[in-house]
Amino acid sequence: MKGAGTSSSKIYFYDVVDSTQDTARKLGPVEEFTTVVAREQTKGRGRSGRQWCSPPGGLWFTIVLYPGTPIRTHALLSLISSLSIVDAIEYMTGLRAHIKWPNDVYIGEKKVAGILVESDVVGEIMSKALVGIGVNLNIPLDSLPEELRDRATTLLEEYGRKIDEREFLLAVLREFKKHYEDYRAGHHQQLIDAVKGRMIMMGKIVSVYLDDAVITGLVEDLEINGSLVIRSKGDRVVLSPAQIKKLELV
Ligand code: BTN
């Protein structure tokens, strides 16, 4: 493990870990923005207990935060992470990426990055949050499992050449800190507007898969807490990220 300091935070680089989420947690009480990066994860995890394929060449990292903000604003942490990745991709490659609500980043029709936010809650307040970000950076497409290749992509595939991993990481962290400051300062509407501008699904018809139902409708808006607003059969339906199993364009 190697530690590198920046003006306000430390970045720990590991070779192989189970999951950067667990490694970050095991560090105990560290400074806010401390970041754990691994070259490879053996038990990378995604949302809903899914596995996250994390071979070498990808950028797998976790940022430690102490938000002190209400748990009802949890979705905003995912959204500002997505926004930071989209911005970093554009800055580093000129490619236009999009946010697939609530926590994926796509290039065209394919997923290039995902976000997993795990938080500790005391009362109604998030005392600690581990923001886990996985970016398929310098991975040849054929190093991804075959079953992922029709719905996932990598920046190496899209950009055609390797991207400096540390430079990309610093670009994401820089954007993230900026958006996180706005989040902490309560500038939520401004962030939601920025996210809406980068969401693939705004104004499109989608199907949303819940535990026991599928809702099809037009994506109308994002609420200030990051919930999705859909117009379905004349009704205004508001959905939080926790309710959604799957979301797809119709
Ligand atoms: C998803 O799309 O389901 C979320 C994927 C999140 C993956 C990242 S990689 C770094 C961090 N460590 C993990 O085990 N998961 C997150």
Side-chain angles (χ1 to χ4, degrees):
M1 180 255 288
K2 281 177 271 170
T6 64
S7 55
S8 56
S9 54
K10 253 195 170 166
I11 305 176
Y12 291 97
F13 292 93
Y14 292 81
D15 195 20
V16 184
V17 300
D18 291 351
S19 159
T20 55
Q21 297 291 96
D22 299 331
T23 309
R25 186 166 289 284
K26 283 185 206 141
L27 289 178
V30 288
E31 266 178 55
E32 184 154 57
F33 295 119
T34 294
T35 300
V36 170
V37 190
R39 196 178 66 86
E40 190 178 347
Q41 297 183 117
T42 52
K43 287 190 186 137
R45 58 177 178 270
R47 275 185 78 216
S48 312
R50 283 190 285 264
Q51 266 190 334
W52 179 260
C53 166
S54 321
L59 180 58
W60 323 121
F61 65 103
T62 296
I63 312 169
V64 180
L65 302 174
Y66 303 99
T69 49
I71 184 66
R72 66 183 147 74
T73 65
H74 186 263
L76 282 168
L77 283 180
S78 285
L79 291 170
I80 62 172
S81 307
S82 308
L83 198 56
S84 310
I85 299 166
V86 164
D87 290 343
I89 290 176
E90 186 154 339
Y91 172 76
M92 294 291 294
T93 68
L95 291 170
R96 186 128 180 115
H98 307 272
I99 298 172
K100 183 182 175 211
W101 183 91
N103 57 5
D104 292 337
V105 174
Y106 272 57
I107 295 181
E109 307 278 294
K110 292 184 170 186
K111 177 162 166 171
V112 71
I115 293 137
L116 172 72
V117 180
E118 297 175 329
S119 42
D120 297 351
V121 182
V122 179
E124 292 292 300
I125 300 298
M126 277 184 283
S127 53
K128 182 170 183 172
L130 300 175
V131 174
I133 296 181
V135 185
N136 296 339
L137 197 72
N138 294 318
I139 306 178
L141 200 59
D142 57 14
S143 297
L144 291 181
E146 209 170 333
E147 66 275 14
L148 290 184
R149 287 182 215 156
D150 58 338
R151 52 199 162 89
T153 191
T154 75
L155 278 168
L156 181 61
E157 175 75 14
E158 300 296 326
Y159 186 49
R161 48 193 151 114
K162 280 197 169 182
I163 294 165
D164 186 284
E165 181 194 310
R166 289 185 191 217
E167 222 186 303
F168 189 92
L169 171 68
L170 292 178
V172 176
L173 292 177
R174 191 174 54 237
E175 293 301 319
F176 184 85
K177 283 181 186 170
K178 206 170 68 189
H179 297 315
Y180 183 69
E181 265 172 33
D182 283 335
Y183 163 72
R184 291 275 299 269
H187 302 151
H188 296 182
Q189 192 57 53
Q190 177 188 318
L191 290 168
I192 289 291
D193 289 343
V195 168
K196 274 161 61 175
R198 295 301 210 140
M199 260 177 63
I200 331 181
M201 295 185 166
M202 287 305 300
K204 304 226 169 90
I205 306 282
V206 295
S207 282
V208 184
Y209 295 75
L210 310 177
D211 263 340
D212 50 1
V214 180
I215 301 173
T216 297
L218 180 83
V219 176
E220 250 186 17
D221 205 2
L222 262 194
E223 295 228 310
I224 194 153
N225 66 358
S227 292
L228 191 72
V229 181
I230 288 181
R231 180 68 55 181
S232 176
K233 297 179 187 148
D235 292 332
R236 187 177 186 275
V237 184
V238 180
L239 298 161
S240 74
Q243 291 175 273
I244 312 278
K245 297 284 156 262
K246 193 167 87 171
L247 174 68
E248 58 188 29
L249 278 173
V250 175

